[in-house]
Amino acid sequence: MDHQNSRELNHTTAGSEFSRHWLLVLVCAVGIGVGVSALPFYTQGIFIEAWVADFGWTRAQASLGILGSTLALAAALPFIGLIVDRYGLVRPVMVSLLGLAVAYVMLGLFVQSITTFVMLAMLQAILGSASSPLAYTRAINTVFNKQRGLALGIALSGAGVAATFGPALISSAVAEFGWRGAYFAMALFTLVVGAVIVIVLSRLNGAKTPVNIDAKVAAEAFKVARASRTYWTIMAAIFCLSLGLGGLMIHFIPVLLEIGFTQNDAAKIAGVIGIAVVLGRLLVGFAVDRTFAPRVAIVILGACILGVLALATLGEAVALPAAFVIGFSVGAEVDLIGYLVARYFGMQAYGQIYGRQYAAFLIATGLGPVIFGAVRDASDNYTASLFLAAAFMLVSTTLFAKLPKFQPSSSAG
């Protein structure tokens, strides 16, 4: 963002930011919740058990769809970043939500083998790529400055709402219609909610790109960012964090089933993760506007590590608090990507930088469940997988501790 725009934003009060752009924040929250990075991800654990029963797949095999979809999304996001930088939010989101609904229908109709499952999961990710947080966080970061962290937290809490209600609703749909019918229900839901999102976004100025992006300036800003140590430290910290949390999120319901919970009770406890995601995003967003963001990340990760270790050693007795700290950490995770990119590198190449940082997050999120499932298959229980997840998060904590202070110019956005 140029110096004049930065000065104008610095004169804008937090109150006037929210009074002018509250509807944008709300619609972004709904969009993120229904998008490709939230609803499919948080409900995948429900489908794993159905696939194991129907096809005889191992849990590692059933996790390959997440790996394929996250790798495909990671490959698509740098290009989506360029598109969103240039065209704004509305048209990319409209195309992606329609594509996501089509992909759900295809998953319900055509999955018969691991090969078709992984191919369709990858297609789902590509078709739905602009419904990821990349587009929405760009719009938020562009119009907010004083309380950018809180605005991001509120918008990204839409994923927490999906995590809260998604598992129970999809579990009921699977019980009533089978897992294929549950995919058809997800397609219909995405079409209806997506239509409302696009109609509202098309009427909001904040959904368009309010700053004229100079392609040469953006390319240079991206080149400078990529050459910095900070860029790679953020990427490595997020990658390790996502390796741990990705495996925990996808396998959390199977972990609970293994330690003695029923499917119904496991889904309810998993819903606590969603509540914690919402709280995490709101409180982390509030905190990073007042406290150095990497320090906030370190405190939250420390609590999550303790919760995971407690779950591994104490089992059923600590399932509820473990679910809460895991969800709280997931809530912090995506918040931090958008916030750190905007604060360290500004907005000129935001889509390109965020796209690559988020791609690293997605790759790790896809690898995590496969590693988690493979370790479980090899050891016949989830204890070793839980310890491995805690180790990944400990490495992430160390990397966050190495990040430098924000520069004043970056802080201005």
Side-chain angles (χ1 to χ4, degrees):
M1 184 178 292
D2 61 34
H3 293 301
Q4 183 175 347
N5 282 317
S6 296
R7 284 196 298 271
E8 289 173 359
L9 282 173
N10 283 332
H11 287 299
T12 302
T13 65
S16 65
E17 283 179 343
F18 273 102
S19 66
R20 286 181 298 150
H21 301 299
W22 66 269
L23 185 56
L24 174 65
V25 175
L26 178 61
V27 176
C28 286
V30 175
I32 288 170
V34 77
V36 70
S37 298
L39 188 61
F41 178 76
Y42 290 117
T43 59
Q44 193 81 152
I46 302 295
F47 290 95
I48 285 178
E49 295 302 315
W51 294 326
V52 169
D54 276 13
F55 301 120
W57 298 343
T58 67
R59 286 170 176 79
Q61 288 175 320
S63 301
L64 288 174
I66 283 290
L67 176 60
S69 64
T70 52
L71 290 176
L73 186 55
L77 279 178
F79 302 101
I80 296 300
L82 285 169
I83 291 170
V84 172
D85 277 345
R86 179 161 184 173
Y87 296 107
L89 183 61
V90 180
R91 282 178 286 177
V93 165
M94 178 177 65
V95 172
S96 282
L97 288 174
L98 178 60
L100 186 58
V102 170
Y104 287 145
V105 172
M106 294 179 72
L107 280 162
L109 288 174
F110 299 123
V111 170
Q112 298 291 343
S113 66
I114 286 289
T115 302
T116 56
F117 169 53
V118 173
M119 290 177 63
L120 289 172
M122 294 176 73
L123 180 64
Q124 171 190 275
I126 293 169
L127 292 177
S129 54
S131 68
S132 71
L134 187 158
Y136 298 105
T137 60
R138 195 202 192 288
I140 296 293
N141 273 310
T142 300
V143 299
F144 280 88
N145 184 56
K146 294 279 187 181
Q147 287 197 315
R148 178 180 284 168
L150 182 58
L152 285 171
I154 294 171
L156 289 163
S157 67
V161 175
T164 302
F165 299 105
L169 291 174
I170 297 305
S171 181
S172 297
V174 170
E176 185 71 21
F177 308 113
W179 64 266
R180 295 184 188 274
Y183 269 127
F184 300 148
M186 290 170 72
L188 179 61
F189 176 78
T190 301
L191 282 176
V192 172
V193 177
V196 176
I197 290 168
V198 171
I199 290 169
V200 176
L201 284 177
S202 66
R203 300 172 183 271
L204 298 176
N205 289 331
K208 304 178 179 70
T209 305
V211 179
N212 292 322
I213 300 297
D214 185 311
K216 291 183 179 179
V217 172
E220 182 61 27
F222 174 64
K223 181 179 178 181
V224 170
R226 192 173 56 180
S228 71
R229 186 174 184 175
T230 298
Y231 176 95
W232 297 106
T233 302
I234 294 171
M235 185 175 285
I238 294 295
F239 187 86
C240 292
L241 173 57
S242 302
L243 278 177
L245 289 178
L248 285 168
M249 288 298 301
I250 295 301
H251 288 271
F252 194 71
I253 287 178
V255 168
L256 295 181
L257 295 174
E258 183 175 274
I259 63 178
F261 288 96
T262 65
Q263 177 81 33
N264 208 22
D265 289 340
K268 289 178 181 177
I269 292 175
V272 172
I273 290 180
I275 296 170
V277 167
V278 174
L279 290 174
R281 290 193 170 156
L282 294 176
L283 294 178
V284 168
F286 180 83
V288 297
D289 284 328
R290 292 157 177 79
T291 306
F292 185 49
R295 289 179 188 163
V296 176
I298 291 167
V299 171
I300 292 168
L301 279 175
C304 188
I305 290 168
L306 291 176
V308 172
L309 293 177
L311 185 62
T313 54
L314 301 176
E316 188 175 353
V318 296
L320 199 59
F324 185 84
V325 294
I326 290 167
F328 203 90
S329 298
V330 171
E333 185 179 34
V334 180
D335 257 23
L336 287 167
I337 300 173
Y339 187 87
L340 292 174
V341 167
R343 287 302 185 199
Y344 279 115
F345 308 115
M347 295 303 299
Q348 284 291 351
Y350 179 87
Q352 297 176 69
I353 298 169
Y354 182 95
R356 285 159 176 80
Q357 294 285 344
Y358 195 68
F361 155 78
L362 289 170
I363 291 169
T365 301
L367 285 172
V370 176
I371 295 170
F372 208 89
V375 172
R376 192 273 176 201
D377 290 337
S379 61
D380 291 328
N381 61 64
Y382 276 111
T383 302
S385 298
L386 291 169
F387 277 106
L388 183 61
F392 284 136
M393 288 186 282
L394 182 60
V395 174
S396 178
T397 302
T398 304
L399 291 166
F400 275 119
K402 295 181 178 295
L403 287 173
K405 291 287 187 181
F406 302 134
Q407 294 297 316
S409 59
S410 293
S411 178

